[in-house]
Amino acid sequence: MATPAIFSRIENPWKQNPWFEAVAVAQERARKRLPKPVYGALVAGSERGQTIADNQAAFTELGLAPHVAGHRADRTMATSVMGQEISLPVIMSPTGVQAVHPDGEVAVARAAAARGTVIGLSNFASKSVEEVVAANPQTFFQMYWTGDRDTMVQRMQRAHAAGAQGLIATLDWSFSMGRDWGSPEIPEKVDLKTMVRMAPQVALRPRWLWQFGRTGTIPDLTAPNLSPPDGGPAPTFFGAYYEWMTTPPPSWDDVAWMRETWDQISGRPFMLKGVCRVDDALRAVDCGVAAISVSNHGGNNLDGTPASIRVLKPVADAVGGQVEVVMDGGIRRGSDVVKALAMGARAVMIGRAYLWGLAANGQAGVENVLDVLRSGIDSALLGMGVQSIDELGPELLVVPEGFHRPLGVPASS
């Protein structure tokens, strides 16, 4: 679509200092910029929001044990996840359709590449895996258990052909449509009728409208990574959701099949995302996964699940060094990252934090979020007198009694 002349001749009338010093500031700018239902889709969790609240509150219960002298002048936070060398222990979690900005996942991929880290790309994304890998070769492709096995094989083959360096499987999605505050409206597609109906809400956020007008695009609510191999049209978000709803949930044999199939296709690592229990973590090890993500999917899954940071250490202790462990859920500052690493995570994944940066200032906003986290990590390492994230351990934390939630611990443990 060509850029309308009216937009091509107008400079941004809302231009302001684009830099922000905290993720909370990015969130506030996103709130002011985005139409209410779009922002609501970013911040809302499932049902009463108990899990999304605990994801953040749990970090406030943990303290740090600083040193008064003997600090290290040189500090490093580089690590690797599933064979990918990264400059800081933060990677981009796969999230669904990113219509908060015209460039969507491509902007996130470029930002991650500029800061030396990995992007996880959802198969519900609004940009294709080919576009995203071109923007950042360090891309992990994420799949839900949707469709039949032949369809899933085709999607794995496409991701491998595009250059994806790993596969992330999300298999436990059980999102409840019931939200105590109501679910934000997500249209099936953005057409003239939809634009007219939602015009009053969009008109209240002219900066967001101007941004899309400048690029000559409209928010894309299709899922190009779910396009059929015959070149047919990509399904809408709700079409993809229907496919998931009508696919029988997977067994552990299915998990093993998925891991083995990806290995046969690509020979590249496989991560199982959504692990909260020790017994599930041990089963994942038996299935041959390279990594697990301790995650409750940002509070968007089964409400009442404990915060990810509460279940992290029991899981990490149980699997030892058999697989890599990452964590996501509630990360808002560098000290949160350090707490997760001290509990046994190799790295963390962020979701809402980078989406707020994307909404606030596109690619530069995502880079800003990563810079904020990097600075916070470095400050925490300095204060605790350690030179590397490899030196972090639970002895550097102040952990209240009863903080950990060891779920599904085998009786013999």
Side-chain angles (χ1 to χ4, degrees):
M1 182 186 295
T3 302
I6 187 174
F7 288 105
S8 64
R9 294 195 301 267
I10 299 175
E11 292 300 319
N12 185 351
W14 299 279
K15 197 169 184 179
Q16 61 179 354
N17 179 13
W19 186 82
F20 45 81
E21 65 276 8
V23 172
V25 178
Q27 179 180 358
E28 179 60 14
R29 291 191 183 177
R31 185 188 68 79
K32 291 179 177 179
R33 179 182 291 268
L34 296 174
K36 186 176 180 180
V38 179
Y39 179 72
L42 292 187
V43 298
S46 61
E47 296 189 326
R48 77 174 68 190
Q50 178 179 338
T51 295
I52 188 175
D54 195 36
N55 271 348
Q56 296 177 66
F59 279 105
T60 70
E61 297 178 24
L62 295 172
L64 301 174
H67 282 287
V68 69
H71 300 141
R72 309 300 291 270
D74 299 317
R75 297 168 298 282
T76 179
M77 60 187 76
T79 187
S80 65
V81 174
M82 296 211 300
Q84 297 301 301
E85 300 294 329
I86 53 179
S87 69
L88 77 167
V90 179
I91 65 179
M92 320 309 265
S93 186
T95 63
V97 179
Q98 295 178 11
V100 299
H101 188 276
D103 294 335
E105 293 85 356
V106 172
V108 176
R110 290 172 179 158
R115 295 301 183 263
T117 193
V118 166
I119 176 175
L121 178 71
S122 172
N123 66 353
F124 280 14
S126 62
K127 303 294 183 183
S128 72
V129 63
E130 291 82 8
E131 291 177 277
V132 170
V133 172
N136 186 346
Q138 289 188 295
T139 296
F140 297 154
F141 186 67
Q142 178 261 0
M143 285 180 56
Y144 292 96
W145 183 263
T146 62
D148 58 28
R149 285 192 173 189
D150 288 342
T151 299
M152 285 185 262
V153 169
Q154 178 267 322
R155 290 170 182 164
M156 291 186 218
Q157 290 171 334
R158 177 180 173 184
H160 170 60
Q165 296 299 312
L167 190 74
I168 301 174
T170 302
L171 309 178
D172 60 322
W173 195 248
S174 60
F175 174 70
S176 170
M177 295 302 294
R179 286 171 163 171
D180 288 8
W181 46 84
S183 294
E185 179 184 6
I186 302 175
E188 183 171 0
K189 60 182 178 179
V190 180
D191 53 17
L192 180 60
K193 183 178 179 181
T194 301
M195 288 189 285
V196 170
R197 187 180 75 253
M198 301 188 74
Q201 297 184 72
V202 174
L204 295 174
R205 296 293 185 264
R207 285 183 292 181
W208 188 74
L209 178 62
W210 178 89
Q211 191 174 49
F212 278 92
R214 286 278 290 181
T215 62
T217 61
I218 57 176
D220 188 357
L221 300 182
T222 60
N225 294 307
L226 301 182
S227 298
D230 61 8
T236 65
F237 175 82
F238 286 98
Y241 186 81
Y242 176 78
E243 182 184 78
W244 165 72
M245 288 282 290
T246 55
T247 302
S251 66
W252 280 105
D253 287 341
D254 292 324
V255 177
W257 170 84
M258 194 176 195
R259 200 278 306 165
E260 291 166 3
T261 302
W262 172 249
D263 183 57
Q264 292 166 4
I265 290 170
S266 71
R268 292 172 179 169
F270 180 99
M271 177 190 294
L272 181 61
K273 186 176 187 292
V275 176
C276 293
R277 297 170 53 107
V278 169
D279 49 1
D280 282 351
L282 295 173
R283 291 293 296 270
V285 171
D286 292 340
C287 289
V289 306
I292 58 175
S293 175
V294 175
S295 168
N296 51 50
H297 306 301
N300 277 314
N301 202 26
L302 182 63
D303 198 32
T305 304
S308 299
I309 190 67
R310 297 190 192 278
V311 300
L312 172 59
K313 190 174 186 299
V315 167
D317 288 349
V319 300
Q322 299 176 83
V323 297
E324 296 178 7
V325 177
V326 301
M327 191 219 83
D328 71 80
I331 299 292
R332 299 292 185 269
R333 49 197 60 82
S335 59
D336 296 339
V337 178
V338 166
K339 291 171 183 177
L341 269 56
M343 289 290 195
R346 188 179 189 90
V348 303
M349 305 173 83
I350 60 171
R352 288 181 177 89
Y354 78 74
L355 289 175
W356 292 327
L358 179 65
N361 196 30
Q363 176 184 337
V366 180
E367 293 173 4
N368 195 158
V369 165
L370 289 171
D371 290 343
V372 166
L373 295 178
R374 185 190 298 274
S375 176
I377 296 168
D378 187 63
S379 293
L381 296 180
L382 174 64
M384 291 188 292
V386 299
Q387 189 171 29
S388 166
I389 58 173
D390 296 333
E391 300 174 35
L392 294 171
E395 71 281 358
L396 294 171
L397 301 180
V398 180
V399 184
E401 185 177 354
F403 177 83
H404 301 296
R405 301 288 191 274
L407 307 179
V409 179
S412 59
S413 297

